[in-house]
Amino acid sequence: SRGEPLPAPEATAIAPPSIPGPRQFLRLELPTEHTTSQDARPLLLTLGLPTLGLAFAITILTTYGPSVLLPLVHSPAKVGAIMGGEGALALVVPLISGSLSDRLDPSGRWGQRLPFVLIGGPLAGVGLALLPFAPDYALAGLTILAFYIGYYLYYPPYRAIYADLLPRRLLPRAQSNQAILRGVGLGAGMIGGGLLISAWTPLPFVLATAILGISTLALRPILRLQRTCPARPHDHVANSGSTKDLFLRNRSMQLFAIANAIWEYSFAGLKFFIVLYVTKGLGQSHELSTAVIAVVAVAYVVGAPIAGRLAERFGMVRVMEGAAACYGVALTIGVVFTTITPMLLILPLGALAGSILMTLPQALAFTLAPSANEGAAAGLVDFSRAIGVVLGPLLVGLAVSWSKSALPATHGYAVMWPMIGVPLLLSLLLLRLLRGKAEAALS
């Protein structure tokens, strides 16, 4: 069905999303090339619910896990080493789970993707629930290891279900919905977790496990829907191999992986150093830094639905080019400011553009990937993300240390802005090279 002519773009008037009721969930239908995004809302919301559970769970772990670990290890450095295991595992596990999910028989009892969900979900949940009860450093480390392995076994195959069920035309809107649910899970975890942990330390971890399990049950009707899915043209075509093969042999996926690593590098550098820039570089209060983070969080939620609508109207890569240009410029010029007022004016615009840019990479990966390699493509998204997550804090931190004498007004912290902004502008060259391939895949 992906080769059929596309219908004319639908109206893009922004309307508040309607929440489908239980009866609508029972009437999930397989979309076609002519299914509108409005008609697909029940399916998109149902399919996106595990994203909320996964986001809530990993937010609880990364935000409140250190407070559980510190009394056991008595060393912030050891806490950081344990929690930093995410980056190392994200370089390995997604490559395996994504590629293997492409090779399973889709006509089997559990389909291609669900076996990894059924293994990864309980493993992540058990690790999360047991962490606050761990009596020593070693067991605490094992519970976190179990969570990360389970999380990355689960996530790439789960995300590949989007490409299994949806026409490529609907992928940008689907990723917008997914980004909104991810933002809800992130916000609920950061805000609600603090209230819960003050009542009883294990409470947020146990609740996160329950939410992860309940949200995973949303895939049950999705599995029934997949069984009614007619064989696609590529279902009988051998896939081109593992995620490694996809990256080494496919030029478009190579360019995408480099671009995605750049985007994640910039986001990680911003996330890790924005508070220090406000408090140490500009000498402002922690309350103001919290307000700055809130602006970024609101822009993330607002930008996600806009990204899908713009992509449908103007084309996914063209929208990403515009967002990367605006985001990169807004960040780069931050180096010239030494007071908070200009940043409060510029950062919301940059954050909105950044939200639009960061919403669409997964849809772009599925669009560029060869047929029957959606799981490998999802693994490549996480692999390239991990590279950016590792390099962002490292390179920006080194630049700040080396720039203290060159930028004394902000104690060197202003260098973070060109360090994360200039690579975004360079990624425009990669997007330009990918535009033709993406547009051809959608035609």
Side-chain angles (χ1 to χ4, degrees), residues 371-390:
S371 296
N373 285 267
E374 288 83 1
L380 187 60
V381 171
D382 282 323
F383 173 76
S384 55
R385 172 186 176 273
I387 294 174
V389 168
V390 171

Side-chain angles (χ1 to χ4, degrees), residues 214-296:
I214 293 170
S215 64
T216 299
L217 291 177
L219 294 178
R220 187 173 180 179
I222 298 296
L223 177 63
R224 292 198 296 267
L225 187 63
Q226 279 189 299
R227 289 173 179 167
T228 69
C229 182
R232 298 172 296 169
H234 66 261
D235 282 339
H236 304 293
V237 178
N239 64 52
S240 62
S242 65
T243 303
K244 181 182 73 172
D245 296 329
L246 190 65
F247 175 66
L248 293 178
R249 299 176 183 176
N250 188 297
R251 183 170 180 269
S252 295
M253 297 306 293
Q254 291 171 353
L255 296 175
F256 165 79
I258 296 170
N260 193 53
I262 289 174
W263 302 328
E264 294 290 351
Y265 155 86
S266 295
F267 184 70
L270 175 65
K271 182 173 64 174
F272 274 86
F273 283 93
I274 183 63
V275 172
L276 290 176
Y277 170 78
V278 174
T279 57
K280 303 296 185 181
L282 300 182
Q284 301 295 323
S285 66
H286 282 281
E287 289 76 12
L288 185 57
S289 69
T290 302
V292 171
I293 293 174
V295 168
V296 175

Side-chain angles (χ1 to χ4, degrees), residues 42-101:
L43 174 60
L44 297 183
L45 181 57
T46 305
L47 186 56
L49 287 176
T51 297
L52 189 153
L54 288 163
F56 186 84
I58 199 167
T59 300
I60 292 295
L61 177 69
T62 55
T63 304
Y64 300 102
S67 64
V68 173
L69 285 174
L70 191 59
L72 298 177
V73 302
H74 309 292
S75 167
K78 289 183 179 180
V79 171
I82 295 174
M83 300 303 299
E86 176 192 4
L89 287 171
L91 290 171
V92 179
V93 180
L95 302 181
I96 299 171
S97 62
S99 298
L100 288 180
S101 72

Side-chain angles (χ1 to χ4, degrees), residues 110-129:
W110 302 108
Q112 288 178 283
R113 318 297 181 186
L114 201 59
F116 297 90
V117 172
L118 294 177
I119 296 171
L123 185 60
V126 168
L128 191 63

Side-chain angles (χ1 to χ4, degrees), residues 321-365:
E321 287 176 334
C326 182
Y327 191 26
V329 170
L331 294 179
T332 302
I333 62 176
V335 70
V336 304
F337 302 123
T338 57
T339 61
I340 192 64
T341 302
M343 295 306 302
L344 291 176
L345 296 175
I346 294 173
L347 193 58
L349 177 62
L352 182 62
S355 173
I356 293 172
L357 175 66
M358 301 302 292
T359 296
L360 298 172
Q362 182 177 309
L364 179 59

